[in-house]
Amino acid sequence: MKSYQKLTPPQPAACQVEEEGAAPVPAGHGKLAPWWVGSGLLVAAVLLSTITVWVLRQVSGGWLGPTPPPKCLLVPESHRFDCYPERRVVVTQELCESRGCCFIQTPPPAEGKRGVPWCFYPPDFPSYTLESLNQTALGMVGLLVRREKAYYPRDIEMLRLDVEFETDTRLHIKITDAANPRYEVPLDVPRVTKRAENPIYSLNFSWNPFGVLLQRRATGTVLLNTTVAPLIFADQFLQISTSLPSRFLYGLGEHRGSLLHSLDWTTLTLWARDVSPTESFNLYGAHPFYLLMEEGGDAHGVFLLNSNAMEVALQPAPGLTWRTIGGVLDFYIFLGPDPNMVIQQYQQVIGFPAMPPLWALGFHLCRWGYGSSNETWQTVRAMRNYQIPQDAQWNDIDYMDGYRDFTLDSQKFASLPSMVEDLHRHGQRYVMILDPGISSTNPQGSYWPFDEGLRRGLFLNTTQGQPLIGQVWPGFTAFADFSNPDTHQWWLENLQHFHAHVPFDGLWIDMNEPSNFLDGSEDGCPPGELDSPPYTPAVLGDSLSSKTVCASAKQKASVHYNLHNLYGLMEAKATASALIQIRRKRPFIISRSTFPSQGRYSGHWLGDNQSQWKDMYYSIPGLLSFSLFGIPLVGADICGFSGSTSEELCTRWMQLGAFYPFSRNHNTQNEKAQDPTVFSPAARTAMKDVLLTRYSLLPFLYTLFHHAHLQGDTVARPLFFEFPQDMATLGLDRQFLWGRSLLVTPVLEPGVDSVIGYLPQGTWYDFYKGFSVNSSGEMLKMSAPLEHLNLHVREGSILPTQKPGTTSEATRENPLRLIVALSSSATAWGDLFWDDGESLDTFEQGSYSYLVFNVTQNVFTSTVLHASTETTKVTIGTLSIFGVQKPPSKVLLNGQEKPFSYLDNQVLTVSDLGISLTQSFSLQWL
């Protein structure tokens, strides 16, 4: 029996909703008071702020400058929206007031923090006026006019406002140039044909200054109020701010940090960049979407469909500012009302994720630095020798000849085709890496990928119309232009040629931000406002071309300035199409750079992490964030990519990594091996055991992916998704759920034999033994020796599991075991999706089986709702029922008595059922 010690539940920061000084007004109302005026609490804060400024002036001997105008002192510090966000500039009073803004110095923040802006908008800063608003079939269309120029060049004086009430839970608001077309993201989005009839939101506008006011009808909560700061819409600087109804905000990737964002003057930059994951840096992908939990447990989401360089500034008001340097302001707002529904609604716009092949959910092994195909093969054999589960073997760039795509090192990797053939004989798969930089220095006629790409004009070009040359692993390179449909055909032909020699099963697309070892190109970047825009967001390196190509580079669809953040998505789309044509099976692709809708084509790994305990922790908020972004097939490099791991760290990380949706151990060159076979017998056994646990859960995991593909459910899930009214869950990111049913509580610290985890209110069952833990919603100290990972099954769940094999293919042949976790009212529910594991569109074509499991009044029923031939050989062997309060006198299977066992921990087990998955049945205990 395991011991559990109850502790005090976690207390996240209080979910305090700021009182709004101005209630939403009906369309047609003239002037709206600024949001910070009218609240007694805020007036007190203003007085305190004024006194503080006065005291500081006396103490400082005048360094704070002259007393600001009264209108500036009216604005509390937390509500000061930045008027001078430029980095690397010392903002002076003269610079600030030249923009017509308020200047109040405050004590400098801690190092690395942004702090209260010294230069901020006064309440009367000129903005746009809503000149007209007319009804349309789908919503409204309006005209916005700015009569006083703002401070960035090429202000756009007239804007068009389009509002579409797309569904009862989805609102679409778009602001663009009223007179001239502008770049818009080439993403397929749904087009509605009729206006929502019963929206759960109410939308109002302030006319002067223009502002959007969005409320939730049921609660009156103000979700958006954009009157908090002026709207600015210049050619290369677009900015809009809003109040937030709480401080519980998630999303806005890709960044490293906690799942719950800090609103303490945090700026998050979205510009795809090759850099090892580091706090506060813009990383590999761009996801301009946030999820916000409101007071009371409701949730909403906001998506800005914009692919330009962008930053999102968060502040403690609570408030948020979007800044982007191109495109249009194209917002989708999702009203939920629960967080699961918000993410489903988001994916209804960007697209649901692809259904992965079953083998993608097995364990993957890779390293950079195997050195040869024979050494790679030896690792595979060692894994088999120890009977450690493995579905896929990978190779990094060392398999290539001179690091050139679509080539093979004929000396060190001569046996690779034979190794791949051997993998296939054993029911395993092979995955290889590809980079988008194509070597450009080979003698003409010696390297077809470059020669042919050049002939067809398929590379990114300079402003002079010549291929832009950067530098990546093979040396000087050109970059494939995946915005050009002709490039997709060339990519397919290259992959076909290589597949004929090495029949790979999946592809790993790396370096696709795109990464460049030079800044811009071998010749730098030309002068101009694409490479040196009037405003550059807070990107790492302070330049758009830092370690990537020039923003001015020409692509088929637009300039790279607009398309940079889409590069990985476009490559993934081309790669998925090619794999489908080559293999005629579901594609498996893992991409480093990502953008909304990427889940339709690929999964993602969290990049070049390090073998450190903190990196293991950060992987959890990383994978949960990508669940929010509609990319459920996600994981981190288990045991860490760079640096040298330890046996304890790798054991704990293998335990956690066995529950990444995408599970891969990967290592860099010149470090000691870290695959499970190289460790001590005790560690190796612990790693093997947790992988066997994963493989036993493949039917459950595969079913979760089916629901993700079908309707946008998350696979790895934050606890607050299932317990949105439990404040204690809002900041939890050291645990996570699979679906709604399985709670994973990993050890994330060295030298411990216990772990503290939160169990939300209800009954939870130990996954391994079935004994129950009743929680009122509390922190528990759980025993966690090195060989043990804590897993708990939520009451009311039924998990389909299977006797594990060493591959997913072998596991599929084994009998199923259904784990039933009874609720306090002795009910439970679960389901199972089953198909051949790799064919295209099995659900769409009806080539699948779907079963629903139910328990009520001591009767378990299995109902086959859809059947296919794939399930005829698969049987249900065992039923384990957790939480049976008293020993049964008999068990009846379809009315016939059946032997059973019952243990003191209230687990009823019925074995040797031998029932085909095609058969519905019932089992009763009396």
Side-chain angles (χ1 to χ4, degrees), residues 227-441:
T227 65
V228 297
L231 167 66
I232 296 179
F233 201 121
D235 185 37
Q236 289 181 274
F237 185 89
L238 291 70
Q239 177 176 279
I240 190 168
S241 302
T242 182
S243 63
L244 299 172
S246 88
R247 300 175 186 274
F248 296 104
L249 183 137
Y250 313 84
L252 298 173
E254 181 177 5
H255 298 94
R256 165 181 279 209
S258 57
L259 179 64
L260 175 65
H261 286 301
S262 166
L263 270 58
D264 186 19
W265 306 107
T266 303
T267 299
L268 302 169
T269 307
L270 282 64
W271 182 248
R273 167 67 195 246
D274 173 6
V275 61
S276 295
T278 307
E279 297 88 321
S280 79
F281 289 174
N282 50 296
L283 302 182
Y284 310 108
H287 292 272
F289 167 82
Y290 71 76
L291 171 75
L292 188 136
M293 293 300 297
E294 304 157 30
E295 196 172 58
D298 286 338
H300 70 274
V302 177
F303 171 42
L304 173 55
L305 179 51
N306 181 293
S307 62
N308 289 90
M310 182 189 306
E311 63 189 18
V312 184
L314 309 175
Q315 63 192 76
L320 175 150
T321 298
W322 299 93
R323 294 187 198 106
T324 182
I325 60 171
V328 301
L329 296 176
D330 192 0
F331 289 102
Y332 288 86
I333 302 98
F334 310 100
L335 275 289
D338 75 55
N340 292 290
M341 294 172 74
V342 171
I343 302 306
Q344 290 174 348
Q345 291 156 12
Y346 176 41
Q347 291 174 91
Q348 286 167 8
V349 170
I350 63 170
F352 296 127
M355 184 68 187
L358 178 63
W359 64 266
L361 307 184
F363 178 62
H364 301 244
L365 192 54
C366 185
R367 80 163 299 172
W368 180 19
Y370 280 123
S372 69
S373 49
N374 285 341
E375 188 179 335
T376 311
W377 203 345
Q378 189 55 44
T379 302
V380 173
R381 290 186 180 117
M383 290 285 285
R384 289 180 196 153
N385 183 52
Y386 288 114
Q387 296 185 301
I388 300 172
Q390 182 189 1
D391 258 78
Q393 180 61 52
W394 296 39
N395 277 124
D396 208 315
I397 57 175
D398 39 358
Y399 80 86
M400 301 176 184
D401 181 9
Y403 298 147
R404 292 173 300 168
D405 276 356
F406 313 112
T407 66
L408 186 65
D409 185 326
S410 60
Q411 301 299 313
K412 297 177 181 175
F413 281 81
S415 63
L416 185 60
S418 300
M419 187 196 84
V420 172
E421 185 182 337
D422 176 68
L423 287 169
H424 291 164
R425 276 200 308 269
H426 287 84
Q428 295 172 302
R429 306 301 197 278
Y430 180 67
V431 180
M432 67 181 199
I433 195 170
L434 280 177
D435 295 336
I438 303 298
S439 176
S440 61
T441 56

Side-chain angles (χ1 to χ4, degrees), residues 120 218 338 477 569 576 588 700 723 758 775 777 876 907:
F120 57 94
D338 75 55
T477 55
L569 169 64
F588 172 76
F700 174 57
F723 303 92
Y758 184 72
S775 174
I876 297 174
V907 176

